Amino acid sequence: MSVAGGTPAPAVERPRSRRKFLVAAAVLGVGLVAGVVGLLSGSRGQSPPEKPGDTARVEPTNPPVSVPPGTPTPVAPPTGPPIRVGILHSRTGTMAISERPVIDAALLAVDEVNEAGGVLGRPVEAVVEDGESDAATFAARAEKLIAKDRVSVVFGCWTSASRKTALPVFERHDHLLFYPVQYEGLEQSPNVVYTGAAPNQQIIPAVRWCVTALKKKRLFLVGSDYIFPRTANAIIRDQAAELGAEVVGEEYVPLGGGDVAEVVRKIATARCDAILNTINGDSNVAFLRALRAAGLTPDRVPTISFSISEEELASLGAKTVVGDYAAWNYFQSVDRPQNHAFVRRFQARHGPQRTISDPMEAAYFGVHMWARAVREAGTDAPGRVRDAVRRQSYDAPGGVVRIDPETQHTSKVFRVGLITSDDSRFRVIHESPGPVAPIPYPNTRSKAQWDKFLQDLHDGWGGRWEPPGVR
């Protein structure tokens, strides 16, 4: 399906709650309850990979969300004109393995908002666009969502290259992006609400835990070659120096690249005792399998990953990486009633085989926090909503989260997960005593020094946030 001019039409999620009430009324009128129930039963697994550019499809109707005990009785469906929201993630390309599931979590939250009556008496309608794992495409699709589709907010981006490339679009329109992924920090835009972790909520405490709890002092850093891993590793170097640890190697692979043999060879000869991994996307599959083939097992040289979640493990096969670690703020195995209910609702829709990652949880609660802010502001205007969201907190699946009004980052619990061979994938073996307040700029350098670090990378890549030639 295309619109005039050959531009692919976006996938549009029609508000399901209103549709469900209308269907139910028709069923009662004609006595076809059993038939409709049969149509709505079952569950949907993850859809097959799409071809690049294949954003022009309407999302299939999902079965009803299972409601946990104690949930209020459904209210009357919203009847006003829809409020459109954008969901901008990669359905294709190297990042699709990570980003496609985030779309599912955001859509679940949109449905829950509608089932609770929508916002301001209006249903929420999601317009889904494919960033195609390409930073320039993210910027172009953000422009389309804002200028053409007239969305009130965008939930999206994964890589920092995609976020930073799209950010000028949001700033030019004075619009609002909810960004759900842990990142390198060194940013504080009034047009972004950061629901993922800042460096002091993931990178820094993970290094400290590695050195103090695991007693590892010789660290090898490996990452994808773009802004996040380069900056994360600068932060790691600073932290390692403070802790008396040594970085014995630092290597990068192209984003989406699968040739990791030389990197693994260098790790094997470096005599490191831990690997800190900031590779993103499906390159992780090739890298971790190559480590095992080289005899670099967790009992000898454990890997702590910053961007491997439950979804990536499903592709790897957990047995390949049993004994390695991941640092996040949320794991599916978090033992809270709110999380158990969240997992049940998600799997009731997508099947028990589906897993939930940290960015999925952050995208999910981001939609709910936005909806609360709209209700408080009495409007969906981005500027007014931005003011209201700074006062929001939410009892999310992973714990209570709160938006810091000064930085628009989110207070979150830090956790370390051990990869296990059981169905839960990760077992939480360490967590902070409570939510950690966000600090976007690590104090090992001044803001001016960090800004210069970023600018030097940007200039060295020819005005990009990743090396030239990356697609």
Side-chain angles (χ1 to χ4, degrees):
M1 178 174 62
S2 298
V3 296
T7 302
V12 177
E13 275 285 324
R14 299 296 178 185
R16 297 192 184 105
S17 60
R18 178 166 58 180
R19 183 169 58 232
K20 290 175 187 172
F21 275 82
L22 294 174
V23 170
V27 167
L28 291 173
V30 299
L32 298 177
V33 175
V36 174
V37 170
L39 290 172
L40 293 178
S41 63
S43 60
R44 184 183 71 173
Q46 190 169 0
S47 53
E50 302 170 20
K51 299 178 181 178
D54 184 18
T55 64
R57 69 182 183 86
V58 177
E59 289 288 324
T61 300
N62 289 323
V65 178
S66 61
V67 180
T71 300
T73 303
V75 299
T79 57
I83 295 177
R84 282 192 151 195
V85 302
I87 298 178
L88 178 55
H89 282 291
S90 297
R91 284 175 149 165
T92 55
T94 187
M95 294 307 303
I97 187 175
S98 302
E99 293 191 66
R100 284 170 59 86
V102 180
I103 299 172
D104 295 335
L107 291 175
L108 172 62
V110 168
D111 285 352
E112 291 178 353
V113 169
N114 284 328
E115 289 165 2
V119 290
L120 308 180
R122 300 166 63 185
V124 178
E125 181 180 86
V127 184
V128 183
E129 285 286 355
D130 181 6
E132 298 181 14
S133 304
D134 175 63
T137 301
F138 270 92
R141 297 286 160 80
E143 178 70 32
K144 176 184 177 296
L145 285 167
I146 295 169
K148 182 177 180 180
D149 297 316
R150 313 295 294 177
V151 300
S152 298
V153 65
V154 176
F155 302 96
C157 298
W158 181 293
T159 71
S160 288
S162 68
R163 186 195 69 256
K164 282 187 169 293
T165 304
L167 181 57
V169 176
F170 290 92
E171 293 179 336
R172 184 170 64 253
H173 289 281
D174 195 22
H175 217 270
L176 195 58
L177 168 69
F178 275 69
Y179 179 61
V181 184
Q182 41 67 246
Y183 82 121
E184 71 281 355
L186 314 190
E187 185 178 292
Q188 188 176 317
S189 171
N191 298 99
V192 182
V193 177
Y194 305 83
T195 58
N200 72 306
Q201 298 169 311
Q202 189 211 25
I203 299 169
I204 292 173
V207 177
R208 187 180 304 117
W209 180 83
C210 175
V211 174
T212 59
L214 294 184
K215 309 297 183 186
K216 305 299 184 182
K217 293 294 185 74
R218 293 177 56 83
L219 312 178
F220 198 105
L221 314 184
V222 60
S224 300
D225 197 9
Y226 71 99
I227 184 66
F228 165 65
R230 290 277 183 176
T231 308
N233 285 338
I235 294 169
I236 290 170
R237 280 184 174 274
D238 288 357
Q239 186 67 19
E242 286 191 349
L243 295 168
E246 179 184 5
V247 174
V248 298
E250 182 174 343
E251 293 292 328
Y252 295 91
V253 297
L255 186 63
D259 186 2
V260 296
E262 182 61 17
V263 171
V264 171
R265 186 193 66 78
K266 290 180 179 180
I267 293 172
T269 60
R271 295 186 298 110
C272 62
D273 54 20
I275 301 165
L276 300 185
N277 171 29
T278 52
I279 292 175
N280 273 251
D282 54 14
S283 298
N284 271 306
V285 177
F287 173 66
L288 291 167
R289 286 177 178 168
L291 286 180
R292 297 300 169 263
L296 295 168
T297 54
D299 58 323
R300 291 181 53 207
V301 186
T303 298
I304 301 175
S305 295
F306 295 90
S307 294
I308 289 181
S309 69
E310 288 84 349
E311 284 290 333
E312 287 78 11
L313 286 185
S315 296
L316 275 165
K319 291 182 179 180
T320 305
V321 285
V322 168
D324 278 331
Y325 304 92
W328 289 101
N329 307 103
Y330 168 88
F331 293 99
Q332 182 176 316
S333 59
V334 167
D335 189 14
R336 301 185 76 239
Q338 296 87 340
N339 186 48
H340 300 325
F342 172 51
V343 173
R344 284 197 301 270
R345 293 195 299 275
F346 184 85
Q347 291 184 339
R349 169 171 295 182
H350 296 289
Q353 80 284 357
R354 288 292 301 275
T355 55
I356 301 174
S357 67
D358 179 293
M360 293 169 69
E361 189 246 8
Y364 170 84
F365 74 68
V367 172
H368 280 289
M369 293 184 93
W370 168 82
R372 286 188 174 191
V374 172
R375 295 184 189 110
E376 182 178 315
T379 176
D380 63 325
R384 295 275 297 279
V385 173
R386 177 174 59 228
D387 293 339
V389 83
R390 293 171 178 155
R391 298 184 290 272
Q392 298 304 312
S393 63
Y394 185 75
D395 194 2
V400 175
V401 294
R402 186 180 304 276
I403 301 297
D404 173 43
E406 181 178 346
T407 66
Q408 291 182 187
H409 288 65
T410 308
S411 294
K412 312 186 78 173
V413 172
F414 165 70
R415 294 180 170 99
V416 175
L418 172 68
I419 301 174
T420 66
S421 58
D422 60 23
D423 290 339
S424 63
R425 309 286 183 167
F426 288 99
R427 183 173 78 248
V428 178
I429 60 171
H430 172 80
E431 65 180 43
S432 57
V436 179
I439 303 175
Y441 285 81
N443 61 12
T444 52
R445 308 184 196 185
S446 68
K447 183 178 183 299
Q449 288 174 319
W450 283 123
D451 288 344
K452 183 179 185 304
F453 174 87
L454 291 179
Q455 192 63 50
D456 288 347
L457 284 175
H458 187 255
D459 293 345
W461 288 329
R464 297 162 53 100
W465 295 107
E466 58 194 359
V470 172
R471 172 65 167 89

